[in-house]
Amino acid sequence: REQLLLHKFNLFDFSCIQRAVRNQTFRPTITMAGAVYNFFSKISMKEILQRFPTKSVIAVESQTPVEKALKALSDNKILSVPIVDASKGEVTSIVDVLDIVCWMASKLPNAETCTPSELQAALLKASHDLITSPIVLAAESSGRDPFAPVMHNVAASTVVRIFSGGIRRIPILGEQDEMISTISQSDLIRFLVDHIDSMQLKPAGRMDIQSIGLGRHKCISVSEDYPVILCLQVLS
């Protein structure tokens, strides 16, 4: 049961512990994951949000054009943003950069097999859609960052569990189910770093990432002269 819990609450990689067992590095992984899990299970999201008192709630309306939603992500240097249904006055979904990439890629033909005229026509149509289509159409297109709101009084370990599945940003709801803030993986990591002394993680923190079974996903890369359209299709 302990191994299962630690496996679930690893923030970065579901297969971390399995690999650690194979590579005989299981004990350090348990030390780190156990300390992190114990720490976050004793603190509520409300307490963590107090660490970011000036953080504003950034969201876009469901009918906001995709282009403007992209600008909101760029201007605020974030990868995802909640979508608000103005008619209902509530958050209904979340969209991230990969959703938009997948949505755009689905509108483009295979650049390696289509004719120049077909590609030109598709690009013109995609450009028009980018300007006119509401962002809600692109929400969750990648299937990687689904809408998963939590109440402000839940244990932070609940959020860690959700993040471990790949979700990047979570809406936090207040007493009336209204969105009062959002929390990202980066926010939680900053909080973790600020409290690392109280978790007695400094010795483990000096270990290299390979020793604790992280950083082993295959790196996908393209050459600098690779066509942008093909890069979008690789990402999607």
Side-chain angles (χ1 to χ4, degrees):
R1 183 174 179 276
E2 180 188 36
Q3 293 178 9
L4 177 61
L5 282 174
L6 297 179
H7 179 69
K8 282 185 176 181
F9 283 91
N10 183 280
L11 208 60
F12 302 99
D13 189 344
F14 270 126
S15 58
C16 169
I17 290 184
Q18 292 177 332
R19 290 198 303 266
V21 170
R22 290 197 298 268
N23 297 316
Q24 298 181 338
T25 57
F26 191 43
R27 184 53 53 186
T29 305
I30 281 186
T31 301
M32 290 193 69
V36 171
Y37 167 68
N38 288 333
F39 175 76
F40 281 125
S41 66
K42 298 174 182 176
I43 188 170
S44 70
M45 283 309 305
K46 184 176 181 179
E47 294 174 82
I48 290 183
L49 291 178
Q50 291 172 354
R51 162 70 172 74
F52 309 101
T54 60
K55 183 178 179 180
S56 58
V57 177
I58 300 169
V60 295
E61 291 190 357
S62 59
Q63 297 305 305
T64 300
V66 175
E67 182 186 39
K68 290 187 176 181
L70 266 175
K71 189 175 187 306
L73 292 173
S74 176
D75 290 347
N76 293 283
K77 297 179 173 59
I78 55 178
L79 294 175
S80 57
V81 64
I83 296 176
V84 177
D85 186 332
S87 64
K88 298 179 180 179
E90 61 184 36
V91 181
T92 57
S93 56
I94 196 163
V95 67
D96 69 9
V97 172
L98 188 56
D99 289 328
I100 297 174
V101 167
C102 291
W103 179 77
M104 287 296 297
S106 69
K107 298 177 175 297
L108 299 175
N110 189 325
E112 295 180 313
T113 59
C114 69
T115 65
S117 59
E118 289 173 336
L119 180 57
Q120 182 66 25
L123 287 173
L124 288 173
K125 177 66 166 58
S127 298
H128 179 266
D129 290 344
L130 191 68
I131 297 171
T132 61
S133 298
I135 188 61
V136 68
L137 295 181
E140 301 184 18
S141 293
S142 68
R144 293 285 301 275
D145 203 2
F147 182 54
V150 300
M151 298 299 293
H152 70 286
N153 55 358
V154 302
S157 53
T158 299
V159 171
V160 173
R161 181 194 296 117
I162 296 172
F163 279 154
S164 71
I167 292 177
R168 297 187 181 93
R169 185 176 302 274
I170 296 175
I172 308 298
L173 307 181
E175 296 292 346
Q176 306 301 318
D177 291 339
E178 78 283 12
M179 185 176 70
I180 60 174
S181 187
T182 62
I183 190 81
S184 68
Q185 288 186 355
S186 298
D187 293 333
L188 208 58
I189 290 172
R190 281 195 293 270
F191 188 87
L192 187 65
V193 170
D194 289 345
H195 295 80
I196 198 166
D197 289 337
S198 63
M199 291 183 290
Q200 300 178 342
L201 276 177
K202 274 197 170 182
R206 296 190 184 99
M207 299 174 64
D208 61 86
I209 60 173
Q210 186 175 11
S211 296
I212 59 174
L214 299 178
R216 299 185 184 183
H217 283 302
K218 180 182 178 182
C219 180
I220 300 174
S221 62
V222 297
S223 62
E224 60 183 13
D225 59 350
Y226 206 63
V228 173
I229 292 177
L230 294 181
C231 290
L232 291 175
Q233 291 174 339
V234 168
L235 286 170
S236 65

